[in-house]
Amino acid sequence: MKLPTSVSLFALTLLQCVYNTVAITVDFQDDTSLNNALALVADGLMDYYNGDQYGGTPGMFVNPYYWWEAGAAFGSMLDYWFYTGNTTYNDVIKAGMLYQTGKNNDYMPSNQTTTEGNDDQGFWGILVMDAAEKNFSNPDPDQAQWLSLAQAVFNTMASRWDTDTCHGGLRWQIFTWNNGYNYKNSVANGCFFHMGARLARYTGNTTYSDWSEKVWDWMTTVGFINETSGQLIDGADISTNCTTHTPYEWTYNYGLFTAGAAYLYDFTNDTKWLTRAQLLMERGSSIYFDDGVMFEAACQNTGRCNNDQRSFKAIYSRFLGLTAQLAPPMADQIMNLLSSSAAAAAISCSGGTDGHTCGLNWNVGKWDGVWGLGEQMSALEVMQNTRALQIAKPLTAHTGGSSKGNPAAGSDSGTSNFLTNSLDISSKDRAGAGILTALLAVGIVGTGWWMMKQ
């Protein structure tokens, strides 16, 4: 049970003192102890889910959490099942994943089209790719399968590759009426790059890895990735032909590209991908860890992380675990950082009315009075990924993956068809969509006080 937003600071402090007596304790060397701790954190995460309740929408978490974060949160819970074997939430996860596929089975559901961006769709595509690689319970034969859903997301994203501006790349937003349509960023292109790497490895089809290579080359050409320093910046507006950069650096972008490069290294055995993963890891380790404890450098120290940004450490933790599995030369460094961060995160999970609500700031030695879906996701992922080297690598179609694919999935449901057949957006809807996306943009611009070290 979570605290209401009206609880005062004094009450938070008092409740922390009271409930610290039931805070989670965990011995990371003991599987039973870790499983028990993870169960409490996972239960806390699902406190924010009402999609299986009367009036709720399957696949959606409570306000103010956006659709993209629901996909990311289900990814955390899918990991939870895979790491622990606990199937408590599997039916709920599966129902949400299938409900949100949209009429064309490409994760463009009509209830999201006014604000859906390429990154939003991408995180749901990564979720179903996870399901394929982990042999998560397959849908019924008459339903879209995990692999085909991932392929549909990839194909629809590929159809939006835009060479008219900045010589290529994906825009942040899909639809012209959304603020951010004129912005090209690393997260949208990172999702595309990451999915291409995973699909190539799973299917053996080099068309996907060719696309990933194309994305990487574009990212370096446009200056979003610096192949000397490893700096990976947020993006740029097309009005300057992507020459004036927004310099903020976010953990989840580093995770997308680091793990994507590790997948390509495992698939191709080409050491250039290991070198690229190591480059990004060195940069990430230098800016996102304070005495070995992970933090979101762009916003956390000043308390300015918005709801989206407070979940980014979850994504970074998950992708670091995958990198450790797929790029063995990087494993020791990654596992040391995950272990120290997980120990600190576990201590933060000592708040709220349940005694195991997790905080944002892991390096303060207690719960910091901050709570939310992102905090629970992040603690869950960093703790369970301390086991990354104890489990098998992600499956492929040749090593036991059972999900069925369709290389042409999504090819008949591109953006233009979707707009023609499914969407009649009025001027009022356009205004609303613009406002919602502007709020997301403010989350970036609002952290403008901070400039990354060069």
Side-chain angles (χ1 to χ4, degrees):
M1 178 178 173
K2 296 297 175 291
L3 295 165
T5 57
S6 59
V7 174
S8 68
L9 179 60
F10 172 78
L12 290 175
T13 304
L14 179 61
L15 283 167
Q16 182 180 355
C17 293
V18 172
Y19 288 102
N20 269 349
T21 58
V22 292
I24 66 170
T25 58
V26 55
D27 177 357
F28 284 93
Q29 304 305 313
D30 181 87
D31 287 346
T32 299
S33 174
L34 180 53
N35 282 348
N36 290 340
L38 291 173
L40 292 175
V41 178
D43 289 346
L45 187 159
M46 294 301 290
D47 280 346
Y48 295 94
Y49 185 69
N50 67 348
D52 58 343
Q53 300 172 14
Y54 179 78
T57 302
M60 289 297 295
F61 283 71
V62 299
N63 287 330
Y65 302 107
Y66 292 112
W67 182 70
W68 86 269
E69 194 168 347
F74 278 138
S76 296
M77 293 303 297
L78 199 71
D79 270 5
Y80 170 67
W81 154 72
F82 191 67
Y83 276 113
T84 67
N86 189 325
T87 62
T88 299
Y89 292 107
N90 283 20
D91 289 344
V92 172
I93 297 168
K94 185 175 182 179
M97 291 168 68
L98 292 173
Y99 188 87
Q100 292 293 331
T101 59
K103 63 175 290 185
N104 294 313
N105 292 320
D106 55 6
Y107 283 105
M108 294 187 67
S110 58
N111 64 320
Q112 295 299 325
T113 50
T114 57
T115 58
E116 185 174 351
N118 277 303
D119 54 336
D120 305 325
Q121 185 192 25
F123 277 105
W124 281 86
I126 290 169
L127 167 63
V128 287
M129 196 70 236
D130 272 336
E133 292 175 344
K134 292 176 169 64
N135 266 349
F136 187 60
S137 174
N138 288 315
D140 292 337
D142 62 340
Q143 297 175 305
Q145 303 300 297
W146 305 133
L147 178 59
S148 67
L149 286 165
Q151 290 169 313
V153 170
F154 181 89
N155 288 338
T156 56
M157 293 180 80
S159 72
R160 302 182 199 120
W161 186 261
D162 170 35
T163 57
D164 292 335
T165 58
C166 306
H167 310 291
L170 291 176
R171 297 170 183 253
W172 178 23
Q173 297 297 317
I174 297 172
F175 300 110
T176 58
W177 54 79
N178 278 336
N179 291 330
Y181 180 73
N182 291 331
Y183 190 70
K184 293 190 176 181
N185 62 3
S186 292
V187 66
N189 288 281
C191 287
F192 187 41
F193 168 83
H194 186 91
M195 288 192 64
R198 294 175 78 155
L199 283 166
R201 180 179 176 275
Y202 190 93
T203 65
N205 187 337
T206 58
T207 300
Y208 298 115
S209 54
D210 289 345
W211 265 109
S212 291
E213 182 110 37
K214 185 175 184 177
V215 176
W216 181 277
D217 289 345
W218 178 80
M219 289 282 294
T220 58
T221 298
V222 81
F224 290 4
I225 293 177
N226 185 314
E227 287 199 289
T228 300
S229 68
Q231 185 182 31
L232 170 54
I233 59 97
D234 185 81
D237 196 274
I238 66 171
S239 62
T240 65
N241 203 32
C242 294
T243 59
T244 302
H245 294 158
T246 304
Y248 314 126
E249 299 177 62
W250 304 104
T251 52
Y252 74 158
N253 283 333
Y254 277 84
L256 284 165
F257 281 95
T258 304
Y263 269 92
L264 290 169
Y265 171 60
D266 187 79
F267 173 58
T268 66
N269 203 33
D270 188 334
T271 57
K272 76 179 180 183
W273 290 113
L274 175 62
T275 299
R276 290 168 174 176
Q278 290 172 322
L279 175 72
L280 295 176
M281 187 65 224
E282 286 306 310
R283 175 70 177 181
S285 65
S286 72
I287 60 177
Y288 296 130
F289 294 89
D290 180 12
D291 289 333
V293 177
M294 189 186 300
F295 72 107
E296 194 65 48
C299 61
Q300 187 175 316
N301 286 344
T302 59
R304 300 184 66 174
C305 297
N306 65 26
N307 283 326
D308 286 342
Q309 294 154 6
R310 284 154 59 181
S311 71
F312 289 176
K313 289 185 294 184
I315 297 163
Y316 193 39
S317 297
R318 183 194 310 169
F319 291 155
L320 287 185
L322 286 169
T323 301
Q325 290 180 314
L326 296 166
M330 302 174 64
D332 287 346
Q333 178 190 18
I334 289 172
M335 297 312 298
N336 286 336
L337 291 170
L338 288 177
S339 295
S340 54
S341 296
I347 294 172
S348 86
C349 296
S350 56
T353 55
D354 55 12
H356 51 262
T357 293
C358 303
L360 176 65
N361 301 290
W362 296 341
N363 56 0
V364 297
K366 60 181 180 180
W367 180 52
D368 59 0
V370 182
W371 70 94
L373 176 59
E375 286 80 359
Q376 293 298 126
M377 287 170 56
S378 296
L380 181 66
E381 285 283 20
V382 75
M383 291 170 65
Q384 62 197 10
N385 273 282
T386 60
R387 285 183 172 165
L389 300 185
Q390 300 174 28
I391 60 174
K393 293 195 299 186
L395 296 172
T396 73
H398 308 292
T399 61
S402 62
S403 188
K404 304 300 181 184
N406 174 11
S411 60
D412 60 349
S413 60
T415 301
S416 58
N417 287 340
F418 184 84
L419 288 173
T420 301
N421 297 333
S422 304
L423 194 59
D424 179 16
I425 188 163
S426 67
S427 59
K428 178 181 177 182
D429 292 329
R430 286 174 181 262
I435 290 169
L436 286 173
T437 308
L439 291 175
L440 295 179
V442 167
I444 295 176
V445 177
T447 55
W449 58 271
W450 179 80
M451 296 294 291
M452 289 302 305
K453 58 186 178 182
Q454 302 300 315

